[in-house]
Amino acid sequence: MIKKILSRGYIAFIFLFLYAPIAILIFFSFNKARGRGVFTGFTLNWYKELFSNDLILSSFVNTLIVASIASILATILGTMAAIGINSFNKKMKSAVMGITYISIINPEIVTGISLMLLFVIMKLKFGFTTLILAHITFNVPYVILNVLPKLRQQDNSLYEAALDLGCTPSQAFWKVVIPDILPGILAGFLMALTYSLDDFVVSYFTSGITSQTLPITIYSMTRKRVSPEINAISTVIFIVVLVSLVVMNLKEIKKEKYLIQLKRKRNK
């Protein structure tokens, strides 16, 4: 009994530690005062001003554009790479995965500076192109790590059965392999999207004047005073992400229940 209370209390403390700063941010996004020391009253004024702040909105739009394009391309490249890695022998697979892990463990500042130097050598103009290329670079390994476990769990006999039933290799790939590993692809895409949305270090070294993302804009504000509109837009982003995760989890739960019921019917 005491162990259960302690374990639940420990878990509650961890979640409190994780989400208390977000709760404070949401709370002060409705504060009348510009400061964060005292709550002087409830207001939606900062949300109204948010949608008239061109600097924040343009930065947010840039962030969405870069994150969307980079995540889609990284998902495609990462899925193709994972399929290729899965077909290697053990030695080759371990060598390639070691290289993949290095890019994840590598500090972001090293990645950002190295990409900046690469783009300078290639004589690329800093802007959306360099920013998207940089985001693709650090997102691909995360997609690979999400897709590979699904490829390992896959039943190869299904692909062979599709070929025996008259499917071409490409048809069998799109109708059997892709649907089977789709949860891993979606997980990789969401992880890539998340990392792109909140990346600062790599974006700072590879962005141009016209391609400033929201994290860079917030950083530039910290030199003077962070506008309360930042609390508002952070709250909006958090709520959108939270609702998306809840909807996806509910869909997965419904899908699992359907599969369990289907298995029970087949067994009967």
Side-chain angles (χ1 to χ4, degrees), residues 14-34:
I14 294 297
F15 277 103
L16 180 66
F17 183 77
L18 288 172
Y19 291 102
I22 298 173
I24 293 169
L25 181 143
I26 295 170
F27 179 74
F28 279 103
S29 70
F30 300 103
N31 188 14
K32 280 185 179 180
R34 295 186 69 88

PDB file of all heavy atoms in Angstrom, residues 14-34:
ATOM      1  N   ILE A  14       6.681  14.161 -10.850  1.00  0.00           N
ATOM      2  CA  ILE A  14       7.371  14.282 -12.138  1.00  0.00           C
ATOM      3  C   ILE A  14       6.505  15.047 -13.134  1.00  0.00           C
ATOM      4  O   ILE A  14       6.982  15.967 -13.821  1.00  0.00           O
ATOM      5  CB  ILE A  14       7.736  12.892 -12.703  1.00  0.00           C
ATOM      6  CG1 ILE A  14       8.779  12.202 -11.815  1.00  0.00           C
ATOM      7  CG2 ILE A  14       8.246  13.011 -14.133  1.00  0.00           C
ATOM      8  CD1 ILE A  14      10.107  12.904 -11.738  1.00  0.00           C
ATOM      9  N   PHE A  15       5.224  14.675 -13.217  1.00  0.00           N
ATOM     10  CA  PHE A  15       4.319  15.360 -14.146  1.00  0.00           C
ATOM     11  C   PHE A  15       4.104  16.816 -13.738  1.00  0.00           C
ATOM     12  O   PHE A  15       3.989  17.701 -14.603  1.00  0.00           O
ATOM     13  CB  PHE A  15       2.980  14.630 -14.231  1.00  0.00           C
ATOM     14  CG  PHE A  15       2.997  13.465 -15.176  1.00  0.00           C
ATOM     15  CD1 PHE A  15       3.068  12.160 -14.715  1.00  0.00           C
ATOM     16  CD2 PHE A  15       2.949  13.675 -16.552  1.00  0.00           C
ATOM     17  CE1 PHE A  15       3.094  11.092 -15.593  1.00  0.00           C
ATOM     18  CE2 PHE A  15       2.971  12.620 -17.442  1.00  0.00           C
ATOM     19  CZ  PHE A  15       3.045  11.327 -16.962  1.00  0.00           C
ATOM     20  N   LEU A  16       4.050  17.074 -12.440  1.00  0.00           N
ATOM     21  CA  LEU A  16       3.918  18.448 -11.949  1.00  0.00           C
ATOM     22  C   LEU A  16       5.141  19.271 -12.342  1.00  0.00           C
ATOM     23  O   LEU A  16       5.020  20.418 -12.783  1.00  0.00           O
ATOM     24  CB  LEU A  16       3.757  18.444 -10.431  1.00  0.00           C
ATOM     25  CG  LEU A  16       3.616  19.824  -9.760  1.00  0.00           C
ATOM     26  CD1 LEU A  16       2.318  20.495 -10.196  1.00  0.00           C
ATOM     27  CD2 LEU A  16       3.662  19.683  -8.244  1.00  0.00           C
ATOM     28  N   PHE A  17       6.314  18.673 -12.198  1.00  0.00           N
ATOM     29  CA  PHE A  17       7.568  19.346 -12.557  1.00  0.00           C
ATOM     30  C   PHE A  17       7.627  19.637 -14.056  1.00  0.00           C
ATOM     31  O   PHE A  17       8.131  20.688 -14.474  1.00  0.00           O
ATOM     32  CB  PHE A  17       8.752  18.462 -12.144  1.00  0.00           C
ATOM     33  CG  PHE A  17      10.096  19.085 -12.392  1.00  0.00           C
ATOM     34  CD1 PHE A  17      10.585  20.063 -11.542  1.00  0.00           C
ATOM     35  CD2 PHE A  17      10.854  18.705 -13.482  1.00  0.00           C
ATOM     36  CE1 PHE A  17      11.824  20.652 -11.775  1.00  0.00           C
ATOM     37  CE2 PHE A  17      12.096  19.290 -13.727  1.00  0.00           C
ATOM     38  CZ  PHE A  17      12.578  20.263 -12.869  1.00  0.00           C
ATOM     39  N   LEU A  18       7.091  18.717 -14.866  1.00  0.00           N
ATOM     40  CA  LEU A  18       7.123  18.886 -16.317  1.00  0.00           C
ATOM     41  C   LEU A  18       6.126  19.926 -16.816  1.00  0.00           C
ATOM     42  O   LEU A  18       6.439  20.729 -17.711  1.00  0.00           O
ATOM     43  CB  LEU A  18       6.840  17.538 -17.008  1.00  0.00           C
ATOM     44  CG  LEU A  18       7.941  16.473 -16.940  1.00  0.00           C
ATOM     45  CD1 LEU A  18       7.425  15.159 -17.492  1.00  0.00           C
ATOM     46  CD2 LEU A  18       9.179  16.914 -17.714  1.00  0.00           C
ATOM     47  N   TYR A  19       4.923  19.908 -16.244  1.00  0.00           N
ATOM     48  CA  TYR A  19       3.842  20.721 -16.795  1.00  0.00           C
ATOM     49  C   TYR A  19       3.539  21.994 -16.007  1.00  0.00           C
ATOM     50  O   TYR A  19       2.752  22.815 -16.476  1.00  0.00           O
ATOM     51  CB  TYR A  19       2.572  19.882 -16.919  1.00  0.00           C
ATOM     52  CG  TYR A  19       2.685  18.819 -17.988  1.00  0.00           C
ATOM     53  CD1 TYR A  19       2.916  17.490 -17.665  1.00  0.00           C
ATOM     54  CD2 TYR A  19       2.587  19.168 -19.332  1.00  0.00           C
ATOM     55  CE1 TYR A  19       3.039  16.522 -18.648  1.00  0.00           C
ATOM     56  CE2 TYR A  19       2.706  18.213 -20.322  1.00  0.00           C
ATOM     57  CZ  TYR A  19       2.936  16.888 -19.973  1.00  0.00           C
ATOM     58  OH  TYR A  19       3.060  15.940 -20.960  1.00  0.00           O
ATOM     59  N   ALA A  20       4.145  22.181 -14.864  1.00  0.00           N
ATOM     60  CA  ALA A  20       3.925  23.411 -14.095  1.00  0.00           C
ATOM     61  C   ALA A  20       4.360  24.661 -14.868  1.00  0.00           C
ATOM     62  O   ALA A  20       3.617  25.663 -14.891  1.00  0.00           O
ATOM     63  CB  ALA A  20       4.640  23.337 -12.754  1.00  0.00           C
ATOM     64  N   PRO A  21       5.531  24.659 -15.539  1.00  0.00           N
ATOM     65  CA  PRO A  21       5.911  25.858 -16.320  1.00  0.00           C
ATOM     66  C   PRO A  21       4.913  26.182 -17.429  1.00  0.00           C
ATOM     67  O   PRO A  21       4.629  27.368 -17.679  1.00  0.00           O
ATOM     68  CB  PRO A  21       7.279  25.464 -16.916  1.00  0.00           C
ATOM     69  CG  PRO A  21       7.806  24.398 -16.018  1.00  0.00           C
ATOM     70  CD  PRO A  21       6.606  23.645 -15.558  1.00  0.00           C
ATOM     71  N   ILE A  22       4.371  25.144 -18.068  1.00  0.00           N
ATOM     72  CA  ILE A  22       3.395  25.369 -19.142  1.00  0.00           C
ATOM     73  C   ILE A  22       2.106  25.945 -18.558  1.00  0.00           C
ATOM     74  O   ILE A  22       1.491  26.853 -19.140  1.00  0.00           O
ATOM     75  CB  ILE A  22       3.105  24.059 -19.894  1.00  0.00           C
ATOM     76  CG1 ILE A  22       4.386  23.534 -20.559  1.00  0.00           C
ATOM     77  CG2 ILE A  22       2.018  24.258 -20.955  1.00  0.00           C
ATOM     78  CD1 ILE A  22       4.254  22.175 -21.186  1.00  0.00           C
ATOM     79  N   ALA A  23       1.704  25.425 -17.392  1.00  0.00           N
ATOM     80  CA  ALA A  23       0.502  25.933 -16.733  1.00  0.00           C
ATOM     81  C   ALA A  23       0.670  27.406 -16.352  1.00  0.00           C
ATOM     82  O   ALA A  23      -0.263  28.209 -16.508  1.00  0.00           O
ATOM     83  CB  ALA A  23       0.197  25.100 -15.491  1.00  0.00           C
ATOM     84  N   ILE A  24       1.862  27.773 -15.884  1.00  0.00           N
ATOM     85  CA  ILE A  24       2.139  29.173 -15.526  1.00  0.00           C
ATOM     86  C   ILE A  24       2.086  30.054 -16.771  1.00  0.00           C
ATOM     87  O   ILE A  24       1.527  31.153 -16.753  1.00  0.00           O
ATOM     88  CB  ILE A  24       3.507  29.282 -14.820  1.00  0.00           C
ATOM     89  CG1 ILE A  24       3.450  28.586 -13.455  1.00  0.00           C
ATOM     90  CG2 ILE A  24       3.918  30.748 -14.660  1.00  0.00           C
ATOM     91  CD1 ILE A  24       4.796  28.405 -12.796  1.00  0.00           C
ATOM     92  N   LEU A  25       2.655  29.564 -17.878  1.00  0.00           N
ATOM     93  CA  LEU A  25       2.650  30.319 -19.134  1.00  0.00           C
ATOM     94  C   LEU A  25       1.212  30.566 -19.604  1.00  0.00           C
ATOM     95  O   LEU A  25       0.859  31.683 -19.997  1.00  0.00           O
ATOM     96  CB  LEU A  25       3.434  29.542 -20.195  1.00  0.00           C
ATOM     97  CG  LEU A  25       3.554  30.179 -21.582  1.00  0.00           C
ATOM     98  CD1 LEU A  25       4.933  29.882 -22.166  1.00  0.00           C
ATOM     99  CD2 LEU A  25       2.492  29.642 -22.531  1.00  0.00           C
ATOM    100  N   ILE A  26       0.381  29.521 -19.551  1.00  0.00           N
ATOM    101  CA  ILE A  26      -1.025  29.661 -19.968  1.00  0.00           C
ATOM    102  C   ILE A  26      -1.766  30.632 -19.043  1.00  0.00           C
ATOM    103  O   ILE A  26      -2.542  31.479 -19.498  1.00  0.00           O
ATOM    104  CB  ILE A  26      -1.721  28.288 -19.985  1.00  0.00           C
ATOM    105  CG1 ILE A  26      -1.096  27.392 -21.065  1.00  0.00           C
ATOM    106  CG2 ILE A  26      -3.213  28.425 -20.218  1.00  0.00           C
ATOM    107  CD1 ILE A  26      -1.545  25.951 -21.015  1.00  0.00           C
ATOM    108  N   PHE A  27      -1.479  30.526 -17.744  1.00  0.00           N
ATOM    109  CA  PHE A  27      -2.134  31.384 -16.752  1.00  0.00           C
ATOM    110  C   PHE A  27      -1.838  32.862 -17.017  1.00  0.00           C
ATOM    111  O   PHE A  27      -2.738  33.707 -17.051  1.00  0.00           O
ATOM    112  CB  PHE A  27      -1.664  30.985 -15.346  1.00  0.00           C
ATOM    113  CG  PHE A  27      -2.252  31.820 -14.245  1.00  0.00           C
ATOM    114  CD1 PHE A  27      -3.571  31.655 -13.860  1.00  0.00           C
ATOM    115  CD2 PHE A  27      -1.478  32.771 -13.597  1.00  0.00           C
ATOM    116  CE1 PHE A  27      -4.117  32.429 -12.843  1.00  0.00           C
ATOM    117  CE2 PHE A  27      -2.008  33.541 -12.585  1.00  0.00           C
ATOM    118  CZ  PHE A  27      -3.330  33.373 -12.207  1.00  0.00           C
ATOM    119  N   PHE A  28      -0.570  33.176 -17.277  1.00  0.00           N
ATOM    120  CA  PHE A  28      -0.188  34.574 -17.485  1.00  0.00           C
ATOM    121  C   PHE A  28      -0.485  35.071 -18.899  1.00  0.00           C
ATOM    122  O   PHE A  28      -0.334  36.270 -19.166  1.00  0.00           O
ATOM    123  CB  PHE A  28       1.285  34.771 -17.153  1.00  0.00           C
ATOM    124  CG  PHE A  28       1.558  34.924 -15.689  1.00  0.00           C
ATOM    125  CD1 PHE A  28       2.072  33.876 -14.957  1.00  0.00           C
ATOM    126  CD2 PHE A  28       1.266  36.109 -15.038  1.00  0.00           C
ATOM    127  CE1 PHE A  28       2.306  33.996 -13.596  1.00  0.00           C
ATOM    128  CE2 PHE A  28       1.498  36.253 -13.673  1.00  0.00           C
ATOM    129  CZ  PHE A  28       2.014  35.189 -12.948  1.00  0.00           C
ATOM    130  N   SER A  29      -0.897  34.171 -19.794  1.00  0.00           N
ATOM    131  CA  SER A  29      -1.330  34.645 -21.118  1.00  0.00           C
ATOM    132  C   SER A  29      -2.665  35.375 -21.028  1.00  0.00           C
ATOM    133  O   SER A  29      -3.056  36.075 -21.969  1.00  0.00           O
ATOM    134  CB  SER A  29      -1.445  33.471 -22.089  1.00  0.00           C
ATOM    135  OG  SER A  29      -2.543  32.634 -21.770  1.00  0.00           O
ATOM    136  N   PHE A  30      -3.363  35.220 -19.897  1.00  0.00           N
ATOM    137  CA  PHE A  30      -4.638  35.914 -19.668  1.00  0.00           C
ATOM    138  C   PHE A  30      -4.490  37.063 -18.668  1.00  0.00           C
ATOM    139  O   PHE A  30      -5.488  37.588 -18.170  1.00  0.00           O
ATOM    140  CB  PHE A  30      -5.696  34.932 -19.153  1.00  0.00           C
ATOM    141  CG  PHE A  30      -5.987  33.801 -20.107  1.00  0.00           C
ATOM    142  CD1 PHE A  30      -5.468  32.544 -19.878  1.00  0.00           C
ATOM    143  CD2 PHE A  30      -6.760  34.007 -21.238  1.00  0.00           C
ATOM    144  CE1 PHE A  30      -5.727  31.490 -20.755  1.00  0.00           C
ATOM    145  CE2 PHE A  30      -7.030  32.975 -22.116  1.00  0.00           C
ATOM    146  CZ  PHE A  30      -6.505  31.710 -21.880  1.00  0.00           C
ATOM    147  N   ASN A  31      -3.257  37.436 -18.365  1.00  0.00           N
ATOM    148  CA  ASN A  31      -2.997  38.496 -17.386  1.00  0.00           C
ATOM    149  C   ASN A  31      -3.079  39.880 -18.033  1.00  0.00           C
ATOM    150  O   ASN A  31      -2.554  40.111 -19.122  1.00  0.00           O
ATOM    151  CB  ASN A  31      -1.596  38.289 -16.781  1.00  0.00           C
ATOM    152  CG  ASN A  31      -1.336  39.227 -15.621  1.00  0.00           C
ATOM    153  OD1 ASN A  31      -2.256  39.851 -15.089  1.00  0.00           O
ATOM    154  ND2 ASN A  31      -0.077  39.330 -15.227  1.00  0.00           N
ATOM    155  N   LYS A  32      -3.741  40.825 -17.365  1.00  0.00           N
ATOM    156  CA  LYS A  32      -3.863  42.181 -17.896  1.00  0.00           C
ATOM    157  C   LYS A  32      -2.513  42.891 -17.954  1.00  0.00           C
ATOM    158  O   LYS A  32      -2.226  43.634 -18.893  1.00  0.00           O
ATOM    159  CB  LYS A  32      -4.831  43.008 -17.040  1.00  0.00           C
ATOM    160  CG  LYS A  32      -6.295  42.747 -17.328  1.00  0.00           C
ATOM    161  CD  LYS A  32      -7.167  43.694 -16.517  1.00  0.00           C
ATOM    162  CE  LYS A  32      -8.648  43.458 -16.830  1.00  0.00           C
ATOM    163  NZ  LYS A  32      -9.516  44.373 -16.042  1.00  0.00           N
ATOM    164  N   ALA A  33      -1.697  42.681 -16.939  1.00  0.00           N
ATOM    165  CA  ALA A  33      -0.397  43.348 -16.879  1.00  0.00           C
ATOM    166  C   ALA A  33       0.578  42.714 -17.860  1.00  0.00           C
ATOM    167  O   ALA A  33       0.466  41.534 -18.202  1.00  0.00           O
ATOM    168  CB  ALA A  33       0.161  43.276 -15.460  1.00  0.00           C
ATOM    169  N   ARG A  34       1.560  43.503 -18.291  1.00  0.00           N
ATOM    170  CA  ARG A  34       2.574  42.990 -19.200  1.00  0.00           C
ATOM    171  C   ARG A  34       3.579  42.102 -18.478  1.00  0.00           C
ATOM    172  O   ARG A  34       4.196  41.231 -19.078  1.00  0.00           O
ATOM    173  CB  ARG A  34       3.324  44.153 -19.873  1.00  0.00           C
ATOM    174  CG  ARG A  34       2.460  45.011 -20.778  1.00  0.00           C
ATOM    175  CD  ARG A  34       3.297  46.041 -21.508  1.00  0.00           C
ATOM    176  NE  ARG A  34       4.169  45.409 -22.479  1.00  0.00           N
ATOM    177  CZ  ARG A  34       3.831  45.145 -23.742  1.00  0.00           C
ATOM    178  NH1 ARG A  34       2.613  45.469 -24.178  1.00  0.00           N
ATOM    179  NH2 ARG A  34       4.684  44.586 -24.569  1.00  0.00           N
TER     180      ARG A  34
END
